[in-house]
Amino acid sequence: MNTRLDRGFTLLEVLVALVIVGTALGAGLRAIGSLAQNSAGLRASMMATWSAENRLVQIRLGREFPDVGKRSYACGQGDLPLICYEEVLVSPNPQLRRVEVSVVDAANPERRILKLVQLVLRPR
């Protein structure tokens, strides 16, 4: 009697295993790419928040009562070039001014990253 002992995997088994491993690796790479993109967005949002808060704190600490109008200025943080747009509006209460600071990416000015609003009390 001649018995043959087969050892190893068939070609079909190897191909199925490769498809499973390839699918898992593809999903992993897609997840890593998404994390990297989210990290850049969070960093830009954090830097934009710092830029806008810097101006609003400057107004508060300087006890300014800004004139009504609009202005823009560079407000980059670190290596991220940003542009801040400040708009001062009158409020129904003459003792208050509404200050809006919007921050955009200098490379893509149509994309507003953040907008902060603060009411400023007229100094006595």
Side-chain angles (χ1 to χ4, degrees), residues 27-85:
L29 288 174
R30 199 170 24 241
I32 289 171
S34 176
L35 285 174
Q37 186 176 5
N38 286 343
S39 174
L42 288 173
R43 179 178 178 273
S45 179
M46 179 182 63
M47 298 289 191
T49 301
W50 287 350
S51 291
E53 285 181 346
N54 282 348
R55 176 60 184 142
L56 295 176
V57 168
Q58 182 183 24
I59 291 171
R60 250 190 332 263
L61 292 178
R63 300 184 55 81
E64 297 177 29
F65 194 66
D67 294 328
V68 174
K70 296 180 181 182
R71 72 183 191 112
S72 65
Y73 52 93
C75 59
Q77 293 286 329
D79 61 347
L80 185 64
L82 300 170
I83 299 173
C84 290
Y85 294 99

Side-chain angles (χ1 to χ4, degrees), residues 10 15 17 21 65 123:
T10 66
L15 289 175
V21 168
F65 194 66

